[in-house]
Coordinates of all heavy atoms in Angstrom, one line a residue:
E42 N -40.8 -11.1 45.9 CA -40.3 -12.1 45.1 C -41.3 -12.5 44.0 O -42.5 -12.6 44.2 CB -40.0 -13.4 45.9 CG -38.9 -13.1 47.0 CD -37.5 -12.9 46.4 OE1 -37.2 -13.5 45.3 OE2 -36.8 -12.1 47.0
S43 N -40.8 -12.7 42.8 CA -41.7 -13.1 41.7 C -41.9 -14.6 41.7 O -41.1 -15.3 42.2 CB -41.2 -12.6 40.4 OG -40.0 -13.3 40.1
V44 N -43.1 -15.0 41.2 CA -43.3 -16.4 41.1 C -43.5 -16.7 39.6 O -43.8 -15.9 38.8 CB -44.6 -16.8 41.9 CG1 -44.3 -16.7 43.4 CG2 -45.8 -16.1 41.5
G45 N -43.4 -18.0 39.3 CA -43.5 -18.3 37.9 C -42.3 -18.1 37.1 O -41.3 -17.4 37.6
L46 N -42.3 -18.6 35.9 CA -41.1 -18.4 35.0 C -41.2 -17.0 34.4 O -42.2 -16.5 34.1 CB -41.1 -19.5 33.9 CG -41.0 -20.9 34.4 CD1 -41.1 -21.9 33.2 CD2 -39.7 -21.1 35.1
R47 N -40.0 -16.5 34.1 CA -39.9 -15.2 33.5 C -40.3 -15.3 32.0 O -40.1 -16.3 31.3 CB -38.5 -14.7 33.5 CG -38.0 -14.4 34.9 CD -36.6 -13.8 34.9 NE -36.1 -13.5 36.2 CZ -36.3 -12.3 36.8 NH1 -37.1 -11.4 36.3 NH2 -35.9 -12.1 38.0
P48 N -40.9 -14.2 31.5 CA -41.3 -14.2 30.1 C -40.0 -14.4 29.2 O -38.9 -13.9 29.5 CB -41.8 -12.8 29.9 CG -42.4 -12.4 31.2 CD -41.4 -13.0 32.2
G49 N -40.2 -15.2 28.2 CA -39.1 -15.5 27.3 C -38.3 -16.8 27.7 O -37.6 -17.4 26.9
A50 N -38.6 -17.3 28.9 CA -37.9 -18.6 29.3 C -38.5 -19.7 28.6 O -39.7 -19.7 28.2 CB -38.1 -18.7 30.8
P51 N -37.7 -20.8 28.3 CA -38.3 -22.0 27.7 C -39.3 -22.7 28.6 O -39.0 -22.8 29.8 CB -37.1 -22.9 27.4 CG -36.0 -22.3 28.1 CD -36.3 -20.9 28.5
A52 N -40.4 -23.1 28.1 CA -41.4 -23.8 28.9 C -41.0 -25.3 29.1 O -40.9 -26.0 28.2 CB -42.7 -23.7 28.2
P53 N -40.9 -25.7 30.4 CA -40.5 -27.1 30.7 C -41.6 -28.0 30.2 O -42.8 -27.8 30.4 CB -40.4 -27.1 32.2 CG -40.2 -25.7 32.6 CD -40.9 -24.9 31.6
G54 N -41.2 -29.1 29.7 CA -42.1 -30.2 29.3 C -43.1 -29.8 28.2 O -44.2 -30.3 28.0
F55 N -42.7 -28.8 27.4 CA -43.6 -28.2 26.4 C -44.0 -29.3 25.3 O -45.1 -29.3 24.9 CB -43.0 -27.0 25.7 CG -43.8 -26.4 24.6 CD1 -45.0 -25.7 25.0 CD2 -43.5 -26.4 23.3 CE1 -45.8 -25.1 24.0 CE2 -44.3 -25.9 22.3 CZ -45.4 -25.2 22.7
A56 N -43.0 -30.1 24.9 CA -43.3 -31.1 23.9 C -44.4 -32.1 24.3 O -45.2 -32.5 23.4 CB -42.0 -31.9 23.6
R57 N -44.5 -32.4 25.5 CA -45.5 -33.4 25.9 C -46.8 -32.7 26.3 O -47.9 -33.3 26.3 CB -45.1 -34.3 27.1 CG -44.9 -33.6 28.4 CD -44.4 -34.6 29.4 NE -43.9 -33.9 30.6 CZ -44.3 -34.0 31.8 NH1 -45.2 -34.9 32.1 NH2 -43.7 -33.4 32.8
L58 N -46.8 -31.4 26.5 CA -48.0 -30.6 26.9 C -48.7 -30.1 25.6 O -50.0 -30.0 25.6 CB -47.7 -29.5 27.8 CG -47.3 -29.8 29.2 CD1 -46.9 -28.6 30.0 CD2 -48.4 -30.5 29.9
A59 N -48.0 -29.6 24.7 CA -48.5 -29.0 23.5 C -49.0 -30.0 22.5 O -48.5 -31.1 22.4 CB -47.5 -28.1 22.8
P60 N -50.0 -29.6 21.7 CA -50.4 -30.4 20.6 C -49.3 -30.5 19.5 O -48.4 -29.6 19.5 CB -51.7 -29.8 20.0 CG -51.6 -28.3 20.5 CD -50.8 -28.3 21.8
A61 N -49.4 -31.4 18.6 CA -48.4 -31.5 17.6 C -48.4 -30.3 16.7 O -49.5 -29.8 16.3 CB -48.6 -32.8 16.7
A62 N -47.3 -29.7 16.5 CA -47.1 -28.5 15.7 C -48.1 -27.4 16.1 O -49.0 -27.0 15.4 CB -47.3 -28.8 14.2
P63 N -47.9 -26.8 17.3 CA -48.9 -25.8 17.8 C -48.8 -24.5 17.0 O -47.8 -24.1 16.5 CB -48.4 -25.6 19.3 CG -47.0 -26.0 19.2 CD -46.8 -27.1 18.2
T64 N -50.0 -24.0 16.8 CA -50.1 -22.7 16.0 C -50.7 -21.6 16.9 O -50.7 -20.4 16.4 CB -50.9 -22.9 14.8 OG1 -52.2 -23.4 15.2 CG2 -50.2 -23.9 13.8
V65 N -51.2 -21.9 18.1 CA -51.8 -20.9 18.9 C -51.2 -21.0 20.3 O -50.5 -22.0 20.7 CB -53.3 -21.2 19.1 CG1 -54.0 -21.1 17.7 CG2 -53.6 -22.6 19.6
P66 N -51.3 -19.9 21.1 CA -50.8 -20.0 22.5 C -51.4 -21.1 23.3 O -52.6 -21.4 23.1 CB -51.1 -18.6 23.0 CG -51.4 -17.7 21.9 CD -51.9 -18.6 20.8
L67 N -50.6 -21.6 24.2 CA -51.0 -22.7 25.1 C -51.2 -22.0 26.5 O -50.2 -21.4 27.0 CB -50.0 -23.8 25.1 CG -50.2 -25.0 26.0 CD1 -51.5 -25.7 25.6 CD2 -49.0 -25.9 26.1
V68 N -52.3 -22.2 27.1 CA -52.6 -21.7 28.4 C -52.6 -22.8 29.4 O -53.4 -23.7 29.3 CB -54.0 -20.9 28.5 CG1 -54.3 -20.4 29.9 CG2 -54.1 -19.8 27.5
L69 N -51.6 -22.8 30.3 CA -51.5 -23.8 31.3 C -52.1 -23.3 32.6 O -51.7 -22.2 33.1 CB -50.0 -24.1 31.6 CG -49.2 -24.6 30.4 CD1 -47.8 -24.7 30.8 CD2 -49.8 -25.9 29.8
L70 N -53.1 -24.0 33.1 CA -53.7 -23.7 34.4 C -53.3 -24.7 35.5 O -53.6 -25.9 35.3 CB -55.3 -23.6 34.2 CG -55.8 -22.6 33.3 CD1 -57.3 -22.7 33.2 CD2 -55.4 -21.2 33.8
F71 N -52.7 -24.2 36.5 CA -52.3 -25.0 37.7 C -53.4 -24.9 38.7 O -53.6 -23.8 39.3 CB -50.9 -24.6 38.2 CG -49.9 -24.8 37.2 CD1 -49.6 -23.8 36.2 CD2 -49.1 -26.0 37.1 CE1 -48.6 -23.9 35.3 CE2 -48.1 -26.1 36.2 CZ -47.8 -25.1 35.2
L72 N -54.1 -26.0 39.0 CA -55.3 -25.9 39.9 C -55.2 -27.0 41.0 O -54.4 -28.0 40.8 CB -56.6 -26.1 39.1 CG -56.8 -25.1 38.0 CD1 -58.1 -25.5 37.3 CD2 -56.8 -23.7 38.4
E73 N -55.9 -26.9 42.0 CA -56.1 -27.9 43.1 C -57.6 -28.3 43.2 O -58.4 -27.4 43.1 CB -55.6 -27.3 44.5 CG -54.1 -27.0 44.5 CD -53.3 -28.3 44.6 OE1 -53.8 -29.4 44.8 OE2 -52.1 -28.1 44.3
P74 N -57.9 -29.5 43.4 CA -59.3 -29.9 43.4 C -60.1 -29.4 44.6 O -61.3 -29.2 44.5 CB -59.2 -31.5 43.5 CG -57.8 -31.8 43.7 CD -57.0 -30.6 43.5
D75 N -59.5 -29.1 45.7 CA -60.2 -28.6 46.9 C -60.2 -27.1 47.0 O -60.5 -26.5 48.1 CB -59.7 -29.3 48.2 CG -58.2 -29.0 48.4 OD1 -57.6 -28.5 47.4 OD2 -57.7 -29.4 49.5
C76 N -59.8 -26.4 46.0 CA -59.8 -24.9 46.0 C -61.0 -24.3 45.3 O -61.3 -24.6 44.2 CB -58.5 -24.5 45.3 SG -58.4 -22.8 44.7
G77 N -61.8 -23.5 46.1 CA -63.0 -22.9 45.5 C -62.7 -22.0 44.3 O -63.5 -22.1 43.3
T78 N -61.7 -21.2 44.4 CA -61.4 -20.3 43.3 C -60.9 -21.1 42.1 O -61.3 -20.8 40.9 CB -60.3 -19.3 43.7 OG1 -60.7 -18.6 44.9 CG2 -60.1 -18.3 42.6
C79 N -60.2 -22.2 42.3 CA -59.8 -23.1 41.2 C -61.0 -23.6 40.5 O -61.0 -23.8 39.3 CB -58.9 -24.2 41.8 SG -57.4 -23.7 42.5
T80 N -62.1 -24.0 41.2 CA -63.3 -24.5 40.6 C -63.9 -23.5 39.7 O -64.3 -23.8 38.5 CB -64.3 -24.9 41.7 OG1 -63.7 -25.9 42.5 CG2 -65.5 -25.5 41.1
E81 N -63.9 -22.2 40.1 CA -64.5 -21.1 39.3 C -63.6 -20.9 38.1 O -64.1 -20.7 37.0 CB -64.5 -19.8 40.1 CG -65.5 -19.9 41.2 CD -65.5 -18.6 42.1 OE1 -64.8 -17.7 41.8 OE2 -66.2 -18.6 43.1

Side-chain angles (χ1 to χ4, degrees):
E42 297 291 329
S43 62
V44 294
L46 298 176
R47 293 184 181 274
F55 181 70
R57 69 181 162 123
L58 291 173
T64 58
V65 297
L67 180 65
V68 179
L69 304 175
L70 294 176
F71 296 87
L72 306 177
E73 294 289 344
D75 57 349
C76 163
T78 306
C79 295
T80 303
E81 294 175 7

